Amino acid sequence: MDVQSVAAPAIAYGGPAVAVAGGLSFLFLKTYLSQQRANPNRLPSLPVVPGVPLLGNLLELKEKKPYKTFTKWAETYGPIYSIKTGATSMVVAMVTKFDSISTRKLSKALRILTADKTMVAMSDYDDYHKTVKRNILTSILGPAARKKHRAHRDTMAENLSSQLHALAPRSSHEPINLRKLFQSELFTLALKQVFGKDIDSLYVDDLGVTMPREEVFQVLVLDPMMGAIEVDWRDFFPYLKWIPNTGFEHKIEQMYIRREAVMKALIQEHTKRIHSGENLNSYLDYLLSEAQPLTEKQLLMSLWEPIIETADTTMVTTEWAMYELARNPKRQDRLYEEIRNVCGSEKITEEKLCKMPYLSAVFHETLRRHSPVSIIPLRYVHENTVLGGYHVPAGTELAINIYGCNMEKEIWENPEEWNPERFLAENEPIDLQRTMAFGGGKRVCAGAMQAMLLACVGIGRMVQEFEWRLDDDTGEDVNTLGLTTQKLNPMHAIIKPRK
């Protein structure tokens, strides 16, 4: 039996564990949360999913979509339960703001690739987390920073539009690969925000090679996303960590070394441009001149994080939204009419998004139905906690099943259906935390507003300028081999410019 292949999905989102299995919505669960220290003898024990000796429930997690398995178990054992993954236990639940579980618990692969939590998304909630989050908000993602980078986002929208118009005449013979186009434009945006300039190629001194842009993207974005869920079987059996796992260690370390070399080369290129008199006004400039001093490792990770996060999750949401609109002509027409009524003959802009509730509903329904990250990386309970009426002792590991929350039938009517109209039923602004896509509380995603602007303007411009239909509807095929739940196969569409 190949333990590694069996274990893969179980630690895909952060390592070995205790899974608190989550069909439970935040609204329901938070009424049961307490920070009181409790006597475990006075509280019931967590329901346990039966497993087999030694492996526990690993054999039942063969499917590479653990969030669906967790949701199915919740129907039998309730919204909170415990499973065994090898030598450890795991609990799966829906929580967003809870001091005792704000600490990350990472797999061996994630510990290496995040330089031992040296980034906002994976760091513990401590002084370092607060510092690097403040840096990225000040220079890239906060209100003033978004205004500063507005020209880059507008250029991105224009470039995407121009490419689609160039490809449209032959799309009936060569369907559009939206993922390839949009992801490339997002990568360009990220490079401009971080380093002030895009690249065509890059000489990497530490590796002694010149990389084309596509290879730089592979090293900085695609490889780490896949490497993040690589399995070290020792994560399941920590008492055997003394046994070497040479193949795994070499693969992940090479990813780290190559990424570090490329980031150093990008910094070197930036330094040359500064010395030549260019004024780039980039994130790197801010970190070197105005921010609290960082070590070299912290600087590299601070620069790399907005690149990978900009170039992946926003693409996943936008592609799913366009897929759903392409196979729902009536909803696509409704969105087009809203855009036309608001914008007339003018192009859609960020200022006009607030006047288009249906576009907002399309965005949020896509986040609900196709959660970009279905299971949040594991968290670690560092003090005794009461969760859903159960005692959860310090040391427990928690997996938060966003998919289960968004598929809960008691909260969402016909949750399997993609139905933007469900977000138009309330006469109040849509709560960004309702679908849990951006987390919540003190660990809420710093890039939530930029992601919404990029996705909504992108979706709006594409529907405003083109009619979309699928070339071949392969169904809701989902790939969870990476950290995000993108379509297994890129969306291929036939587009027709609107009159």
mmCIF file of all heavy atoms in Angstrom, residues 8 50 53 167 175 196 232 260 267-268 271 323 331 371 446 460 496:
data_model
loop_
_atom_site.group_PDB
_atom_site.id
_atom_site.type_symbol
_atom_site.label_atom_id
_atom_site.label_comp_id
_atom_site.label_asym_id
_atom_site.label_seq_id
_atom_site.Cartn_x
_atom_site.Cartn_y
_atom_site.Cartn_z
ATOM 1 N N ALA A 8 -2.096 11.939 0.719
ATOM 2 C CA ALA A 8 -1.965 13.235 0.046
ATOM 3 C C ALA A 8 -3.092 14.206 0.313
ATOM 4 O O ALA A 8 -2.841 15.337 0.718
ATOM 5 C CB ALA A 8 -1.798 13.014 -1.458
ATOM 6 N N PRO A 50 -14.946 6.320 12.924
ATOM 7 C CA PRO A 50 -14.186 5.080 13.078
ATOM 8 C C PRO A 50 -13.150 4.917 11.965
ATOM 9 O O PRO A 50 -13.390 5.262 10.809
ATOM 10 C CB PRO A 50 -15.262 3.986 12.989
ATOM 11 C CG PRO A 50 -16.543 4.692 13.299
ATOM 12 C CD PRO A 50 -16.386 6.079 12.781
ATOM 13 N N PRO A 53 -6.700 0.470 12.512
ATOM 14 C CA PRO A 53 -5.481 0.613 13.314
ATOM 15 C C PRO A 53 -4.337 1.212 12.495
ATOM 16 O O PRO A 53 -4.227 0.987 11.299
ATOM 17 C CB PRO A 53 -5.171 -0.833 13.734
ATOM 18 C CG PRO A 53 -6.485 -1.529 13.683
ATOM 19 C CD PRO A 53 -7.229 -0.910 12.547
ATOM 20 N N LEU A 167 -8.033 37.983 -30.633
ATOM 21 C CA LEU A 167 -8.263 36.546 -30.776
ATOM 22 C C LEU A 167 -9.690 36.205 -31.175
ATOM 23 O O LEU A 167 -9.944 35.103 -31.685
ATOM 24 C CB LEU A 167 -7.932 35.844 -29.448
ATOM 25 C CG LEU A 167 -6.466 35.883 -28.997
ATOM 26 C CD1 LEU A 167 -6.349 35.338 -27.578
ATOM 27 C CD2 LEU A 167 -5.583 35.082 -29.950
ATOM 28 N N PRO A 175 -10.556 28.156 -29.807
ATOM 29 C CA PRO A 175 -11.210 28.728 -28.626
ATOM 30 C C PRO A 175 -10.227 29.451 -27.699
ATOM 31 O O PRO A 175 -9.046 29.105 -27.618
ATOM 32 C CB PRO A 175 -11.828 27.503 -27.931
ATOM 33 C CG PRO A 175 -12.003 26.513 -29.032
ATOM 34 C CD PRO A 175 -10.846 26.722 -29.963
ATOM 35 N N GLY A 196 7.923 47.384 -9.757
ATOM 36 C CA GLY A 196 7.780 48.573 -10.572
ATOM 37 C C GLY A 196 7.820 48.342 -12.061
ATOM 38 O O GLY A 196 7.611 49.270 -12.846
ATOM 39 N N ASP A 232 4.907 14.560 2.864
ATOM 40 C CA ASP A 232 5.958 13.881 3.617
ATOM 41 C C ASP A 232 5.251 12.944 4.584
ATOM 42 O O ASP A 232 4.598 13.387 5.533
ATOM 43 C CB ASP A 232 6.811 14.898 4.375
ATOM 44 C CG ASP A 232 7.971 14.255 5.116
ATOM 45 O OD1 ASP A 232 8.042 13.000 5.135
ATOM 46 O OD2 ASP A 232 8.804 14.985 5.684
ATOM 47 N N GLU A 260 14.248 31.337 -4.502
ATOM 48 C CA GLU A 260 15.117 32.311 -3.851
ATOM 49 C C GLU A 260 16.068 32.941 -4.862
ATOM 50 O O GLU A 260 16.298 34.155 -4.845
ATOM 51 C CB GLU A 260 15.910 31.632 -2.739
ATOM 52 C CG GLU A 260 16.780 32.585 -1.937
ATOM 53 C CD GLU A 260 17.498 31.879 -0.793
ATOM 54 O OE1 GLU A 260 18.155 30.845 -1.067
ATOM 55 O OE2 GLU A 260 17.415 32.347 0.352
ATOM 56 N N ILE A 267 15.524 41.414 -7.533
ATOM 57 C CA ILE A 267 15.980 42.529 -6.696
ATOM 58 C C ILE A 267 17.216 43.187 -7.311
ATOM 59 O O ILE A 267 17.344 44.416 -7.323
ATOM 60 C CB ILE A 267 16.279 42.025 -5.271
ATOM 61 C CG1 ILE A 267 14.984 41.577 -4.585
ATOM 62 C CG2 ILE A 267 16.963 43.118 -4.440
ATOM 63 C CD1 ILE A 267 15.193 40.931 -3.231
ATOM 64 N N GLN A 268 18.115 42.362 -7.855
ATOM 65 C CA GLN A 268 19.315 42.905 -8.498
ATOM 66 C C GLN A 268 18.954 43.763 -9.706
ATOM 67 O O GLN A 268 19.532 44.843 -9.919
ATOM 68 C CB GLN A 268 20.238 41.760 -8.913
ATOM 69 C CG GLN A 268 20.892 41.050 -7.738
ATOM 70 C CD GLN A 268 21.583 39.745 -8.133
ATOM 71 O OE1 GLN A 268 21.574 39.364 -9.311
ATOM 72 N NE2 GLN A 268 22.162 39.064 -7.164
ATOM 73 N N THR A 271 17.668 47.023 -8.491
ATOM 74 C CA THR A 271 18.756 47.887 -8.012
ATOM 75 C C THR A 271 19.469 48.563 -9.180
ATOM 76 O O THR A 271 19.811 49.755 -9.109
ATOM 77 C CB THR A 271 19.759 47.054 -7.188
ATOM 78 O OG1 THR A 271 19.075 46.408 -6.106
ATOM 79 C CG2 THR A 271 20.856 47.948 -6.625
ATOM 80 N N TYR A 323 -16.989 30.905 -16.585
ATOM 81 C CA TYR A 323 -17.510 29.584 -16.946
ATOM 82 C C TYR A 323 -19.007 29.505 -16.671
ATOM 83 O O TYR A 323 -19.796 29.066 -17.522
ATOM 84 C CB TYR A 323 -16.755 28.505 -16.164
ATOM 85 C CG TYR A 323 -17.429 27.151 -16.180
ATOM 86 C CD1 TYR A 323 -17.333 26.312 -17.286
ATOM 87 C CD2 TYR A 323 -18.174 26.716 -15.085
ATOM 88 C CE1 TYR A 323 -17.952 25.067 -17.298
ATOM 89 C CE2 TYR A 323 -18.792 25.482 -15.087
ATOM 90 C CZ TYR A 323 -18.678 24.659 -16.197
ATOM 91 O OH TYR A 323 -19.307 23.437 -16.202
ATOM 92 N N ARG A 331 -28.433 34.621 -17.508
ATOM 93 C CA ARG A 331 -27.754 35.382 -16.464
ATOM 94 C C ARG A 331 -26.664 36.257 -17.067
ATOM 95 O O ARG A 331 -26.405 37.361 -16.579
ATOM 96 C CB ARG A 331 -27.205 34.431 -15.402
ATOM 97 C CG ARG A 331 -28.321 33.829 -14.542
ATOM 98 C CD ARG A 331 -27.789 32.981 -13.415
ATOM 99 N NE ARG A 331 -28.871 32.663 -12.481
ATOM 100 C CZ ARG A 331 -29.206 31.426 -12.101
ATOM 101 N NH1 ARG A 331 -28.558 30.380 -12.599
ATOM 102 N NH2 ARG A 331 -30.204 31.231 -11.252
ATOM 103 N N SER A 371 -15.432 27.968 -3.915
ATOM 104 C CA SER A 371 -14.494 28.576 -2.963
ATOM 105 C C SER A 371 -13.063 28.370 -3.441
ATOM 106 O O SER A 371 -12.628 27.230 -3.611
ATOM 107 C CB SER A 371 -14.659 27.940 -1.578
ATOM 108 O OG SER A 371 -15.988 28.064 -1.129
ATOM 109 N N ALA A 446 -5.743 40.342 3.611
ATOM 110 C CA ALA A 446 -5.394 41.743 3.358
ATOM 111 C C ALA A 446 -5.724 42.158 1.932
ATOM 112 O O ALA A 446 -5.937 43.333 1.651
ATOM 113 C CB ALA A 446 -3.903 41.964 3.626
ATOM 114 N N GLY A 460 -16.706 42.219 -15.623
ATOM 115 C CA GLY A 460 -17.548 43.235 -16.236
ATOM 116 C C GLY A 460 -17.093 43.615 -17.632
ATOM 117 O O GLY A 460 -17.904 43.695 -18.564
ATOM 118 N N LYS A 496 -17.743 36.479 -29.094
ATOM 119 C CA LYS A 496 -18.224 37.302 -30.216
ATOM 120 C C LYS A 496 -18.335 38.737 -29.736
ATOM 121 O O LYS A 496 -19.067 39.027 -28.785
ATOM 122 C CB LYS A 496 -19.588 36.803 -30.697
ATOM 123 C CG LYS A 496 -20.177 37.626 -31.825
ATOM 124 C CD LYS A 496 -21.557 37.074 -32.200
ATOM 125 C CE LYS A 496 -22.210 37.933 -33.276
ATOM 126 N NZ LYS A 496 -23.564 37.431 -33.612
#
